[in-house]
Amino acid sequence: MGRGWDIVWDIVAILFYSMMFASLFAVAEFGLKVSANINVNDFIPRPLRSDYEHSVLDKLLTRVRGFSEESGHHAMMMETFGPLCGYYALVKLRAPTIVRWLCALILLLSLLLTFSAGAFLFIPLATGIATLYFLAFRHIKLLYLVGGSLVLLVLNFVVVPLLGMSAFGLIYTIVEGKLSGGGSLTDRTDRFTAFTNFYEQADIFHRIVGYGPSGFRVAELENSILSLYPTILFEGGVFGFAFFLAFLVYIFYVITKIEHAVKIYLMIGFIACCGHYAIVGDYWRPWLWFLCALICFIARSEIFERTFEKDKLSG
């Protein structure tokens, strides 16, 4: 491997050590709270949402959140980068075997101790989809991905409304029913109901181009939508939403063209992150965008290496 891959592994190494630092803090947070009832917030100030539920099992166990404002955000970060960092720990890290496995275990514990239902749902789902791809569809073509996405768009915006249903509402209800049964469900359902009620009455212009950034404020809705996809639809309209889906499809296609074994871990992280965005709408967080940039850089590095080797042989 040439200079391009050296840069890739340097970037992944920085990401790995950053994730290890956050994971060690999260595991220590849990251990101190459970064993000595020490709250790290008393010593290290961190951002916190006022409505955040930080315990589970009738407040028996604390949900860790690392340096994030709530556990779900820390879990999403671990879902996005955990598979790649786990691969780096077990395969690329220059350390004794026991140290490499210990690092992978700490990364896993950091995810599990968030007690995030989203993480418990989307990591297995992403792993299953990635496994299915490598077993059955590894020769998938961009045309099929684009065609499939267009079919889904037509179903959602043409066929489904004619049947008197909301595809977003149906998916959202299923996901939320699996993830929560308490205040979180009520809050998310109320927000989504307000969005659907307003969007169904919107004029054709705003349906096509959306309401712009912070569209819920422009539309004078009380709260934002806690899901990225209807947020993009509301703010960017059908056009913006179609472009966003095309972007995600393209990134997935780029992953499929990577030849290195790291592709499966990139795929798992990418799918898990996209899945988690069904229940959060914070698109300003850098995790998805950084992963997409890294995926494109890895793909371009491979292309450069192949071209360089071909030119060297022909010369």
Side-chain angles (χ1 to χ4, degrees), residues 9 84-95 100-101 104 260-262 265:
W9 295 124
L84 177 60
C85 290
Y87 171 82
Y88 182 87
L90 295 174
V91 178
K92 291 294 181 179
L93 185 64
R94 295 180 180 178
R100 290 189 278 114
W101 279 99
H260 194 279
V262 74
Y265 304 96

Side-chain angles (χ1 to χ4, degrees), residues 39-97:
N39 186 353
V40 295
N41 284 332
D42 296 336
F43 306 95
I44 304 175
R46 294 179 295 168
L48 176 66
R49 290 183 53 149
S50 59
D51 57 347
Y52 165 62
E53 179 55 57
H54 62 274
S55 60
V56 292
L57 300 179
D58 294 327
K59 300 186 177 181
L60 177 64
L61 296 176
T62 296
R63 302 177 63 198
V64 305
R65 59 187 177 93
F67 298 107
S68 300
E69 61 184 8
E70 63 175 89
S71 299
H73 296 162
H74 180 75
M76 185 177 179
M77 180 182 72
M78 297 304 300
E79 291 171 55
T80 305
F81 300 121
L84 177 60
C85 290
Y87 171 82
Y88 182 87
L90 295 174
V91 178
K92 291 294 181 179
L93 185 64
R94 295 180 180 178
T97 302

